Amino acid sequence: MASDQENSQDANAPDDTSEKEITRGITIMKSIIRDRDKAVTYNVNWNADNQLIGSNAAKLASYIGTLVRMHIPITATRWSNKELGSAKDKIWTEILRSFNIEDTTIRKKYILQLAGKRHRGWRTFLTNKYLKDKEKNFVEYDPEYPVKYAIFITEEEWVAFVAQRRDENFKKVSATNRERASNPTYAYKKGRLGYARLEEKILDETKSDATSLPPHVLWKEARVGKDGTVRDDVQHIYDECETLSQSISTAEDQENRSVLSRALNVPEYPGRVRGKGHGCTLTSLYKNPRRRNPSNQEVMETLQALQAQVLQLQKDNERYRCMEKCSSQLKETSEKASINCQNKFPEGISSCQLYLSSPTYRLVGKGKVHNTSGDLLHHRPLPDGHLKVSVDVVLDKDALLPIPDIVSETTLLRDAIGSFVAWPLDLIFIDDEVFAQGSQQLSQKIGSRQKNKRDLPVTSLPKKGAFVPRYQISLETLVDSSDMATAGAIRLLDMEEDIFGYSCTETIGKEDLEHIFRHQELGVGVIHTYIRFLYDNFMRGNDQLSNRFRFVSSSLVNKALICREPDSCREYLVKRFMASSTNNLYLWPYNSGCHWLLLAIDPLKEVVYFLNSIDGEWTNYPDMKQLVDTSIKVFRSQRQARVPRTKSSNITWIKVQCPLQRNGIDCGYFVMRFMREIINMNQIEIPITYFDEYKCAHYTRLQLEQIKEELCQYFIKKRLISI
């Protein structure tokens, strides 16, 4: 630093240098040498961006300038020259003898880059002092040998240096640089303080908990004069940066140009960050690994994969055209056929199995067939020979849709979870046989119906230690005795605004109840009903719980909608988070297409707890993770939260070691029990090893039956099934 000061003072000296000669001596830092001989070393500090700060920063910078003068010849034109390697190592070794610095690659790189700046400054100082006149033009006569600096420069080196500086190419570059730097639009006004130490000073004065400041904040403060006034044009740039920072994501900031470069309308040069000073780069600021160019082999593999995808799309398009052609040739035989209400299927909504016949005949998923008069698909008539189907479960993740969804550009069945598609009649099978078998088993288990259908059955006393699902049995009897025994029958359950942030109605069909009775995969209707049970039985009237825990609707945010309508999903999550005034934990049952898992999100602390009963990682769900991260960042921006730039992308994801399922159908039951236990523990923070009170390797069947009993009891209590 002292060397820089010496250089800058000499370079900006008054024109009449003959009358005002430099009176100070040569900086050789004798005090450091004396302390080194006494085994005294100096501690140095680094900020969050790995820049040199602290009380000994100036001392180290000045010492680096002295070492550069001693070990690097002034004739060295390129700092990257390999011939300087031994001299650089010598400088680094000397610094380690007097300063306590970690002997690491990143620290050595920083110090040697700073040494390179000192070397350029030293050469510039000599040029301005001895080779130029008062008007800053190169002199024609031979300059005198600077005897004052004889300990650093030999006469031979001086002659070679003068010849280098008188080269015409160098003179052109020098004139261009002088013109560019002669009248800066936004002049730096902090002298030798530097951005890193300016940031340290601001943080100390404001007593802030932050570890760093955004570049545009430092840029503005560096242009405030001693009187404390801020020029209008500087304030305008700062205000524009503040506006841009609310609309540009961190990824855009680092991948393209920073908000400061955008506001100034100038390019961002590699190897540095505008407004942060020496040593700070995009890589160090955003903690991103350096990207490398792909190899030729990787390029060829990517090209082959793209060619295969194009070929597959061509085949799908050809198949779609053939199906359209065949459909157009079908004749309408009756008015009933024209409104897509097929006799072979029961009217209304029925649970069904979905098959495909190509390339092999196989079961690919489960869902609900909607056989209603005048039904439309995305405001368009259904193709002849097809019915409207909602997809609930995908059994073949690579299965293609029989007819691609033109509106959402969906071609895979797994991307249609939670949405409606057209399905061929001959590949839809109603679960009538399953229902019939279930009813027969139910009648054998309970006996004949009671004469008074409104009375619940009296179950026999269980054996000692045995569990009898009496509410399940009672609810089965009610269903069998009501209109819900008919396939396609539904019940509506009102969901208050406090539950999901908006008022809605949940639809419960007979097939949903059958899934509970027969312990099958659960749909979103059952999960939401259990959430309503948790709200009514635990949170309603309990301000502590209702203010601490909230829910996210799986109907508005799921795998299909994230892929099809990411903006609406993000808007809903942000709006949900904005309802927080204190720390809340948002419980979100997430359906990835064929699996339920639970996310517990604390948006204020920016922590996401990941509970997956199949021991998977959140990296397996990139669309979901990107949505959550983006929503938290937008929420942070809307509440105008100040987050250190080094932590702006470090949203904490925690994988909770929760109980694991041992089959392929229990995930929905596990998610419901997770939510119940979290609310019951009344803790915002979930331990990584899960709650000690509920810690186990696997839930037993009895623990899952207890959840089902609560559901069935709630159905009965709410009188959703009446006889």
Side-chain angles (χ1 to χ4, degrees), residues 116-134:
K117 291 183 63 177
R118 295 292 174 269
H119 184 250
R120 290 191 296 273
W122 170 230
R123 284 158 52 89
T124 300
F125 162 72
L126 293 174
T127 302
N128 293 336
K129 175 66 177 175
Y130 296 100
L131 303 184
K132 292 184 178 181
D133 57 19
K134 299 177 182 180

Side-chain angles (χ1 to χ4, degrees), residues 324-522:
E324 270 195 332
K325 183 178 180 180
C326 294
S327 298
S328 63
Q329 295 175 353
L330 293 176
K331 296 183 178 180
E332 298 181 354
T333 57
S334 66
E335 183 179 357
K336 202 169 189 178
S338 67
I339 58 175
N340 297 309
C341 189
Q342 306 295 331
N343 288 328
K344 65 175 288 189
F345 296 99
E347 293 188 13
I349 304 174
S350 307
S351 181
C352 66
Q353 298 177 348
L354 305 176
Y355 284 77
L356 286 178
S357 57
S358 178
T360 58
Y361 191 84
R362 67 201 188 280
L363 175 66
V364 294
K366 297 182 180 181
K368 301 180 183 66
V369 59
H370 297 250
N371 188 29
T372 56
S373 300
D375 208 353
L376 301 176
L377 180 64
H378 304 312
H379 308 290
R380 298 181 180 182
L382 282 163
D384 290 334
H386 291 73
L387 276 180
K388 180 178 177 181
V389 169
S390 60
V391 182
D392 293 335
V393 178
V394 173
L395 302 178
D396 185 348
K397 65 179 182 179
D398 296 324
L400 296 170
L401 290 173
I403 297 181
D405 191 337
I406 301 177
V407 175
S408 62
E409 300 181 355
T410 302
T411 59
L412 294 174
L413 179 61
R414 67 168 182 260
D415 293 333
I417 291 289
S419 61
F420 295 99
V421 295
W423 207 273
L425 292 171
D426 57 342
L427 297 178
I428 303 174
F429 291 86
I430 301 296
D431 288 342
D432 286 336
E433 295 181 359
V434 176
F435 294 158
Q437 293 174 4
S439 299
Q440 183 178 1
Q441 294 173 0
L442 177 63
S443 61
Q444 294 174 356
K445 180 168 50 176
I446 300 178
S448 59
R449 299 176 183 171
Q450 301 180 21
K451 294 181 179 180
N452 186 357
K453 295 182 179 180
R454 295 191 179 274
D455 294 334
L456 295 181
V458 178
T459 58
S460 58
L461 293 176
K463 297 180 180 180
K464 184 177 181 180
F467 172 76
V468 176
R470 62 189 187 92
Y471 286 109
Q472 294 184 53
I473 296 174
S474 300
L475 185 60
E476 284 185 276
T477 303
L478 285 174
V479 170
D480 193 46
S481 304
S482 68
D483 63 326
M484 286 292 286
T486 305
I490 61 173
R491 290 292 188 271
L492 302 179
L493 178 63
D494 293 331
M495 306 294 284
E496 302 174 23
E497 183 177 356
D498 289 342
I499 300 177
F500 293 130
Y502 68 101
S503 300
C504 60
T505 302
E506 194 62 54
T507 302
I508 306 297
K510 180 191 176 186
E511 62 277 5
D512 292 316
L513 300 176
E514 292 288 345
H515 293 164
I516 300 173
F517 300 152
R518 283 148 184 75
H519 200 83
Q520 298 173 344
E521 299 95 335
L522 298 179

